[in-house]
Amino acid sequence: MKQKAIPRMILAALSCVFLFSSHAVAGLTGETNYDAYDSTMATMSGKSYSGGIDIVYSQQATGTAAAKTRSILKCEDGTWVGSNKSVQVNMYSYLGGHLLTLADVNPYGSGIYCQAVKVDPTPLANGNRTVWFSMSGNGAGDGDWYSVVVDEDFTSVEVAAASEFSQPGCWEVEWSTDTTLGSIPFFAGKETNAWTEPHAIYIHSGGSLQKVVDVGGYSCGFAFDDEGNLYTGTYTSSGPTDRQYVRLYSAAQVRNAVTNSTTLTASDAISTIPIPAGGNSADTYLGANDLERDPDGNIYVTANGSWNANFNSDLGFVFRIDACTDINNPPTSMTKIASGSFDSTKTDWQKSLAYDGASNLAAGGHYNPTSSSMTGNRLYVDQDFAWGSGGPDVVSGLGDDANSDSDSIPDCFDNAYLTTNANQIDADLDMYGNMADGDFNNDGYWNAADNFMLSLFKNTSNPVYDMNSDGTVDAADQTLFDAKTPSQAPYY
């Protein structure tokens, strides 16, 4: 049975509640020329942990020209039943409101831990999209990759979640960008349930796992740049005592390892890039958590301190590795672009990354819902749940610090970047903030038909027509409407 998203008008009201807020419990502080914007997800009770994230665009608004809304996929704790819980894949709007549960599974009947979630970049023949996600458990050998198929608009589940294959460690999935090798998935994790088994990167071929890179140490993410070169983080200590790195392998090395069934090791890396130390005295070494690329080939890294007598996990940063433009002269360093800012009583890690944009983070820009391609550039960082608190869950956005309307919302996140609207309310989820959106029927025009609709809802509290979001559709909203009519999308 297909699973549908919640009704749009109900969603419209809910979306006004779960808004982005600066530095809720966890958050980011951008370095020079970068700014952060934090969203508190509409988490359900009982949750305490989240794994991966990805960014998709879902058709929430209705109308002949209604734009899709930026949405966040999360692999996270599901429903608690006694001492057990499930793993869910949930989709949230860019404002934080819950839109759809894509999957809710527990194949083990015991303790379970959410891990990765990523959308296969290649659509199916009918346009539907495949979402991969993973989980591990308490039992020997517990660990599985699942997939679920959704429609091209990310509004309904078309094929329910089903197991793809087992892998006791299953931390991350990314698709090769090497045009010769093709867009095949690579999986980070382990082959057995042994905690001491080194972390590695595999492909799944012929019904079994083929090890491509023997990374060593504990679980962490990896990423391909736009040329198929592979970057993987390292985390070889449970305490902040050892220098950690990001290792770079060329596309040719990865291609040869896959083709010849050989395994790359640390000594094969063409560049070993040290992760800078953190802490007040720069005396805390950081372990990589996740890596993500932008379309220009830059790589972003989350890295965190760890628990011991002197340091805890509220020490975390985001770094950028500049794109490798010459494989014979690869990058050898990374630059800090953001620092974690946490409630010290509810510490947590900066974890999974997802990129949304047309070029690189420093290019900035703003989102144009009428464009056929993504515009503006944003990096999203999952800050996880505060341990033991059951939330709130914070996803931080990081981007260029340009702010044209001086409303504290960077242009790359602002749903009305030329109109002051710090509350960012977007009742119909068409990516236009209420303060700048008089196209109520979403036909791409702001005209007499919309004015008639506005008149029908005068003296009500309908959030779609309440342009100033003061709780009542009244003369003030009419004034806002008249100030721009007639107009054609986009609306800023």
Side-chain angles (χ1 to χ4, degrees):
M1 179 180 293
K2 295 183 180 181
Q3 182 179 356
K4 294 290 186 179
I6 57 178
R8 303 292 195 272
M9 290 307 295
I10 296 175
L11 185 61
L14 292 176
S15 68
C16 299
V17 178
F18 303 109
L19 302 177
F20 280 90
S21 58
S22 179
H23 305 309
V25 171
L28 287 179
T29 299
E31 298 294 314
T32 302
N33 298 324
Y34 292 96
D35 201 357
Y37 194 44
D38 303 331
S39 172
T40 300
M41 301 289 100
T43 57
M44 286 69 82
S45 62
K47 293 179 180 294
S48 63
Y49 190 73
S50 62
I53 62 172
D54 205 359
I55 302 299
V56 299
Y57 279 76
S58 61
Q59 189 67 66
Q60 299 300 318
T62 58
T64 56
K68 294 183 178 182
T69 191
R70 189 180 310 125
S71 304
I72 302 169
L73 288 182
K74 290 182 57 61
C75 183
E76 58 188 4
D77 277 358
T79 304
W80 283 87
V81 179
S83 60
N84 301 325
K85 60 180 179 295
S86 62
V87 161
Q88 289 182 344
V89 176
N90 285 306
M91 185 172 70
Y92 299 88
S93 80
Y94 75 108
L95 298 176
H98 181 261
L99 300 175
L100 178 66
T101 296
L102 281 66
D104 188 343
V105 300
N106 184 346
Y108 313 133
S110 60
I112 191 169
Y113 307 98
C114 48
Q115 301 295 347
V117 62
K118 289 289 180 181
V119 180
D120 187 332
T122 304
L124 298 176
N126 61 1
N128 288 348
R129 306 302 299 272
T130 304
V131 180
W132 285 72
F133 65 103
S134 62
M135 67 213 72
S136 56
N138 289 334
D142 285 354
D144 287 274
W145 286 99
Y146 271 62
S147 70
V148 58
V149 177
V150 299
D151 71 310
E152 62 183 334
D153 292 327
F154 285 87
T155 58
S156 65
V157 173
E158 301 297 305
V159 180
S163 177
E164 293 285 346
F165 62 90
S166 295
Q167 184 183 21
C170 43
W171 323 118
E172 179 67 295
V173 58
E174 295 286 355
W175 281 259
S176 169
T177 56
D178 179 6
T179 55
T180 301
L181 193 59
S183 181
I184 61 174
F186 284 64
F187 303 91
K190 302 186 295 181
E191 283 185 89
T192 74
N193 62 309
W195 174 248
T196 56
E197 182 188 334
H199 163 67
I201 298 172
Y202 304 81
I203 62 170
H204 189 254
S205 177
S208 61
L209 290 164
Q210 175 189 332
K211 185 182 294 186
V212 180
V213 183
D214 189 345
V215 179
Y218 302 134
S219 62
C220 53
F222 68 102
F224 290 97
D225 69 9
D226 57 326
E227 299 293 332
N229 304 311
L230 189 154
Y231 296 72
T232 181
T234 63
Y235 198 166
T236 58
S237 173
S238 60
T241 57
D242 299 319
R243 172 73 71 179
Q244 306 296 315
Y245 303 91
V246 168
R247 297 193 186 110
L248 168 59
Y249 300 89
S250 71
Q253 286 179 303
V254 175
R255 190 185 316 127
N256 289 337
V258 170
T259 302
N260 299 316
S261 298
T262 56
T263 301
L264 297 166
T265 64
S267 62
D268 294 314
I270 64 171
S271 183
T272 299
I273 307 167
I275 299 174
N280 293 332
S281 304
D283 54 5
T284 305
Y285 290 131
L286 307 171
N289 197 301
D290 197 16
L291 291 84
E292 183 79 351
R293 74 175 180 95
D294 65 29
D296 289 350
N298 302 290
I299 301 294
Y300 304 92
V301 183
T302 48
N304 302 278
S306 189
W307 295 277
N308 73 359
N310 299 313
F311 303 102
N312 55 35
S313 63
D314 61 352
L315 184 66
F317 303 93
V318 181
F319 300 95
R320 185 194 70 245
I321 301 173
D322 291 342
C324 180
T325 57
D326 179 1
I327 201 65
N328 296 311
N329 186 27
T332 57
S333 63
M334 62 182 72
T335 303
K336 182 174 69 174
I337 60 174
S339 302
S341 55
F342 295 81
D343 179 340
S344 61
T345 65
K346 297 179 179 179
T347 58
D348 229 331
W349 282 13
Q350 299 180 62
K351 297 186 63 181
S352 300
L353 294 168
Y355 195 83
D356 174 57
S359 56
N360 66 83
L361 204 60
H366 64 273
Y367 185 69
N368 177 0
T370 67
S371 173
S372 59
S373 62
M374 292 181 292
T375 51
N377 298 280
R378 297 154 288 273
L379 178 70
Y380 287 91
V381 185
D382 182 21
Q383 306 272 4
D384 202 356
F385 293 93
W387 278 101
S389 71
D393 184 17
V394 176
V395 172
S396 292
L398 184 66
D400 177 79
D401 65 355
N403 184 8
S404 298
D405 57 9
S406 301
D407 63 357
S408 78
I409 313 300
D411 289 352
C412 57
F413 297 103
D414 202 331
N415 59 23
Y417 84 104
L418 297 178
T419 301
T420 300
N421 68 328
N423 63 25
Q424 291 290 285
I425 291 176
D426 172 16
D428 60 356
L429 293 181
D430 63 353
M431 295 296 294
Y432 297 121
N434 272 28
M435 283 287 289
D437 185 9
D439 182 11
F440 303 125
N441 61 5
N442 290 318
D443 65 354
Y445 297 92
W446 185 328
N447 55 24
D450 302 295
N451 191 36
F452 175 72
M453 296 175 70
L454 178 62
S455 68
L456 293 178
F457 287 92
K458 287 282 181 67
N459 301 315
T460 73
S461 59
N462 188 298
V464 173
Y465 304 92
D466 185 10
M467 295 183 68
N468 63 6
S469 301
D470 66 354
T472 304
V473 182
D474 55 19
D477 301 299
Q478 185 70 58
T479 298
L480 286 171
F481 181 91
D482 292 341
K484 289 189 176 182
T485 187
S487 181
Q488 184 174 352
Y491 313 111
Y492 302 128

